[in-house]
Amino acid sequence: MEDDADIYDGIRAQFPLTFGKQQKSQTSLEAIHNATRRSAAANNSNNKTKEDLPSLSSSSKAWLDSLRNSKPPNPNINDSMIGPPRPSAPAPDEDDGDVMVGPPRPPPGSGGDDDDYVMIGPPRPPAGPSSDSDEEEENRYRIPMSNEIILKGHNKIVSALAIDHSGSRVLSGSYDYTVRMFDFQGMNSRLQSFRQLEPFEGHQVRNLSWSPTADRFLCVTGCAQAKIYDRDGLTLGEFVKGDMYIRDLKNTKGHISGLTCGEWHPKTKETILTSSEDGSLRIWDVNDFKSQKQVIKPKLARPGRIPVTTCAWDREGKCIVGGIGDGSIQIWNLKPGWGSRPDIYIEKSHSDDITALKFSTDGRILLSRSFDGSLKVWDLRQIKVPLKVFDDLPNHYAQTNIAFSPDEQLFLTGTSIERESTTGGLLCFYDRSKLELVQRVGVSPTCSVVQCTWHPRLNQIFATAGDKSQGGTHVLYDPTLSERGALVCVARAPRKKSVDDFEAPLVIHNPHALPLFRDQPSRKRQREKILKDPIKSHKPELPITGPGYGGRVGASKGSLLTQYLLKQGGMIKETWMEEDPREAILKYADVAANDPKFIAPAYAQTQPEPVFAKSDSEDEEK
């Protein structure tokens, strides 16, 4: 049975609270968040305990349990109770007419059978046999992933992602050559972008980065020139391209091949770092688009041009790391008089191209992600051997990155889908201290996960996914843990169109304007008049049926009057259609041989008589 309060609320909902103009009904936040709750198909998995993927995070489970336990328990259920039990109502037909004085006794089955057990205070809530330790382990990380929204709009996989420091604006770049800008504060539940950019036609967007003040952002594409935009998406400038015929890269003013990565300085708003396929890293000044400040040529085993696949700053902007195409990781410390010689050189760190590098906040840990399907954890104090290598992480995109949680207890990365695999694109979370897999979150069953980040202010996880035909940014959040961001736009319903929004197109009539600015008059009536005129419209003449006129007879099927009369009189006979052309020609053969008139008399005296060969072969005679 339901409680009295629930019954009262149900009855009250059937009657109006006020009379007159009713207030517009508003959807509750709980119903809104239930609509964005992650389905059971996108399950999560913990390799230690479970093979199935739960649809809810541990934090949202605790929140739901608290809501369920907040209601008073049903007296008909003999479960253990939280708090002191309710007094039982005295039955009128009881045999013993004793009157109970004082608080009632605890119900049977609450521990009274054990004489040595003394219960002080309310009894404990029931606990599962083995779920406490798992839930405490999950609650320690508090991963916000109970709900999900998708920022759509791209036609191909989303390869670049950037969120400003306040968490209000999101940039997403794709292989469809476009950048879309989303604003959480001005966006409603339709989740549409407010601006779309195409930095360079025909070049994929490879990286996006906000400035420290979030008033500008850097766009890196497959072109050799990086672009700078302001916060609203207006172009501020692009860096110069170098001379490709100069052999020494230090003498060129810019990159000469396509860019691979770029990142804004974490502290200085005028400094930018870029890496390119020409085998160099360059530091730029935003105020000078004509030339770079510094050119860094990585250390190579033998002379040549090996592309720099990725680059990154450390937390304070005093250190630069680059991933080289030969599999090495090189780190440079920015100090007076520094040059291209790296301070730390890790040879053959990966067997394939490196796609992402990430420093920890304290500068002790370096994470590296590669095409070889591995994620390696490096201790910069002992750089010879990695601390841990995580394998079985398929990666097919050069922009697959790594991200830390806000407290840096966890780090996460995305995986690409494989042809024969059925897992789909995943987000894998790892514990930094224990160096072990914590959880796997299914993002998309058919799309690969490329970029990911965990925003510290919003406490929301962003993951980009897609394939050859679609792309989007998945935003994972928890209503009890996250702030602003997706919570703001999901709860804002789109504005309904009313009659007042209709605006008739303005038509300005200016008959005395100059011919250059005068509107062309409508020629619809003139075209209709021309179509009715058979001469101007070049309409073919139709055959006449019935009595003729103008020299044409209807029964003659379009022939002239003289032809019609001759046909009727028998003077014109059309027998050529019924004759055989071969017979018509051969009937004049004898006449031409006996009485030649034209060509034969000219050669009668000089032309020899034809002599035909006679064959002696018996086969031919037969």
Side-chain angles (χ1 to χ4, degrees):
M1 294 179 63
E2 296 181 351
D3 298 329
D4 295 339
D6 294 339
I7 297 174
Y8 176 70
D9 292 338
I11 296 175
R12 188 177 58 180
Q14 304 299 326
F15 296 94
L17 299 180
T18 58
F19 295 94
K21 187 177 181 180
Q22 300 294 328
Q23 188 179 4
K24 294 182 180 180
S25 60
Q26 296 181 356
T27 309
S28 63
L29 288 177
E30 185 177 357
I32 292 173
H33 294 314
N34 286 336
T36 61
R37 191 170 299 279
R38 288 169 58 83
S39 61
N43 292 332
N44 312 331
S45 68
N46 190 340
N47 285 356
K48 300 179 185 177
T49 58
K50 302 177 183 178
E51 295 180 357
D52 296 332
L53 302 173
S55 60
L56 299 180
S57 65
S58 58
S59 57
S60 56
K61 284 180 182 177
W63 172 62
L64 289 177
D65 292 340
S66 64
L67 289 179
R68 291 168 183 166
N69 295 332
S70 62
K71 294 184 179 181
N74 195 336
N76 294 332
I77 300 175
N78 294 325
D79 294 340
S80 59
M81 304 171 63
I82 301 175
R86 293 183 178 179
S88 58
D93 298 335
E94 289 182 352
D95 295 336
D96 49 347
D98 298 338
V99 179
M100 181 182 297
V101 179
R105 296 178 183 178
S110 61
D113 297 338
D114 192 1
D115 298 336
D116 298 333
Y117 178 79
V118 179
M119 182 175 65
I120 301 176
R124 294 181 180 179
S130 62
S131 61
D132 283 349
S133 58
D134 298 339
E135 291 185 359
E136 289 178 2
E137 186 73 16
E138 294 179 0
N139 284 332
R140 188 166 70 89
Y141 302 113
R142 301 177 69 83
I143 302 175
M145 57 183 178
S146 64
N147 296 60
E148 177 184 19
I149 62 172
I150 304 177
L151 306 178
K152 298 181 180 180
H154 290 287
N155 299 327
K156 293 185 180 180
I157 190 167
V158 180
S159 57
L161 177 68
I163 304 105
D164 65 346
H165 306 290
S166 63
S168 60
R169 293 210 169 174
V170 179
L171 305 175
S172 63
S174 172
Y175 279 6
D176 61 0
Y177 320 132
T178 61
V179 176
R180 286 186 175 269
M181 304 180 67
F182 299 88
D183 188 4
F184 280 133
Q185 304 299 326
M187 190 166 51
N188 54 28
S189 58
R190 292 180 180 175
L191 306 178
Q192 295 179 348
S193 61
F194 71 93
R195 179 153 297 176
Q196 180 179 357
L197 311 172
E198 188 172 0
F200 285 97
E201 185 178 359
H203 290 282
Q204 299 172 349
V205 181
R206 296 184 174 176
N207 201 12
L208 296 167
S209 178
W210 283 99
S211 65
T213 55
D215 58 342
R216 291 170 290 183
F217 67 89
L218 167 69
C219 180
V220 174
T221 63
C223 180
Q225 299 171 270
K227 270 192 174 183
I228 303 295
Y229 292 88
D230 66 354
R231 186 175 176 83
D232 296 325
L234 302 178
T235 306
L236 298 179
E238 63 182 14
F239 295 104
V240 69
K241 183 179 180 180
D243 190 353
M244 64 179 67
Y245 297 104
I246 297 178
R247 182 66 180 173
D248 190 1
L249 294 176
K250 287 195 172 182
N251 295 328
T252 60
K253 295 182 179 181
H255 290 291
I256 61 175
S257 297
L259 301 177
T260 57
C261 189
E263 191 173 342
W264 212 294
H265 194 282
K267 301 293 183 181
T268 308
K269 64 178 182 179
E270 289 87 11
T271 307
I272 286 175
L273 172 67
T274 58
S275 61
S276 173
E277 296 172 353
D278 60 6
S280 66
L281 296 94
R282 296 174 192 261
I283 301 177
W284 303 83
D285 188 354
V286 180
N287 300 322
D288 184 15
F289 292 100
K290 299 298 182 183
S291 180
Q292 71 273 347
K293 292 171 58 177
Q294 180 78 20
V295 182
I296 305 172
K297 294 174 63 178
K299 177 182 176 181
L300 301 176
R302 53 185 178 181
R305 287 186 179 178
I306 298 179
V308 181
T309 57
T310 185
C311 61
W313 297 93
D314 67 341
R315 174 79 174 182
E316 300 297 328
K318 298 180 180 179
C319 185
I320 294 174
V321 62
I324 317 302
D326 58 2
S328 64
I329 298 175
Q330 303 183 23
I331 301 176
W332 295 268
N333 294 323
L334 303 186
K335 53 189 177 182
W338 69 286
S340 295
R341 186 177 182 84
D343 296 291
I344 298 177
Y345 177 74
I346 308 174
E347 187 179 3
K348 297 180 180 179
S349 60
H350 286 274
S351 60
D352 209 337
D353 288 350
I354 302 169
T355 61
L357 295 167
K358 184 70 174 179
F359 280 105
S360 62
T361 304
D362 53 10
R364 297 179 181 178
I365 300 297
L366 176 67
L367 305 178
S368 63
R369 187 82 163 89
S370 173
F371 272 134
D372 57 9
S374 65
L375 188 154
K376 294 187 178 181
V377 183
W378 304 86
D379 188 353
L380 297 181
R381 296 166 294 183
Q382 298 176 356
I383 205 66
K384 294 183 179 180
V385 181
L387 291 178
K388 184 69 175 178
V389 179
F390 298 100
D391 294 319
D392 196 17
L393 297 171
N395 180 13
H396 304 315
Y397 294 93
Q399 289 77 32
T400 304
N401 71 336
I402 322 164
F404 277 102
S405 62
D407 55 0
E408 294 199 357
Q409 290 185 6
L410 302 174
F411 56 88
L412 61 150
T413 186
T415 63
S416 302
I417 60 171
E418 295 180 317
R419 292 183 178 179
E420 299 179 356
S421 178
T422 57
T423 56
L426 303 175
L427 270 179
C428 299
F429 294 83
Y430 298 92
D431 192 324
R432 176 183 172 181
S433 58
K434 297 180 180 180
L435 295 179
E436 60 185 8
L437 178 65
V438 173
Q439 205 162 17
R440 290 184 179 180
V441 179
V443 176
S444 176
T446 59
C447 300
S448 302
V449 179
V450 180
Q451 291 267 316
C452 60
T453 184
W454 192 334
H455 199 276
R457 289 196 178 183
L458 302 181
N459 196 19
Q460 298 173 13
I461 300 173
F462 295 78
T464 66
D467 53 13
K468 294 181 180 180
S469 59
Q470 61 179 343
T473 304
H474 296 249
V475 184
L476 308 181
Y477 69 96
D478 195 319
T480 59
L481 301 176
S482 305
E483 298 179 2
R484 301 194 306 273
L487 298 174
V488 177
C489 61
V490 167
R492 185 182 295 120
R495 182 175 176 269
K496 294 182 180 180
K497 293 184 178 180
S498 63
V499 181
D500 299 333
D501 297 334
F502 177 76
E503 293 182 2
L506 298 177
V507 180
I508 301 175
H509 298 280
N510 190 2
H512 303 291
L514 294 174
L516 179 63
F517 305 103
R518 189 179 301 166
D519 294 334
Q520 295 294 331
S522 177
R523 301 184 182 272
K524 183 177 179 181
R525 293 183 179 178
Q526 186 177 358
R527 287 195 301 268
E528 292 178 353
K529 187 177 181 181
I530 291 175
L531 289 175
K532 292 180 180 179
D533 190 353
I535 298 176
K536 292 184 179 180
S537 62
H538 304 285
K539 186 177 180 180
E541 294 183 358
L542 299 176
I544 299 176
T545 58
Y549 60 92
R552 297 180 62 190
V553 182
S556 62
K557 296 183 180 179
S559 61
L560 298 178
L561 178 61
T562 55
Q563 294 178 351
Y564 174 72
L565 294 175
L566 290 174
K567 285 180 182 179
Q568 296 295 327
M571 301 180 68
I572 297 179
K573 294 182 179 180
E574 295 180 353
T575 60
W576 57 271
M577 295 183 66
E578 301 174 357
E579 251 183 335
D580 186 8
R582 184 171 177 274
E583 294 179 357
I585 295 174
L586 290 178
K587 70 181 180 180
Y588 298 104
D590 296 337
V591 179
N594 298 329
D595 188 13
K597 294 182 179 180
F598 301 104
I599 300 175
Y603 301 97
Q605 298 179 358
T606 59
Q607 188 72 13
E609 293 182 2
V611 178
F612 299 101
K614 295 182 180 180
S615 176
D616 297 334
S617 175
E618 296 180 356
D619 298 336
E620 292 184 0
E621 289 178 359
K622 292 180 181 180

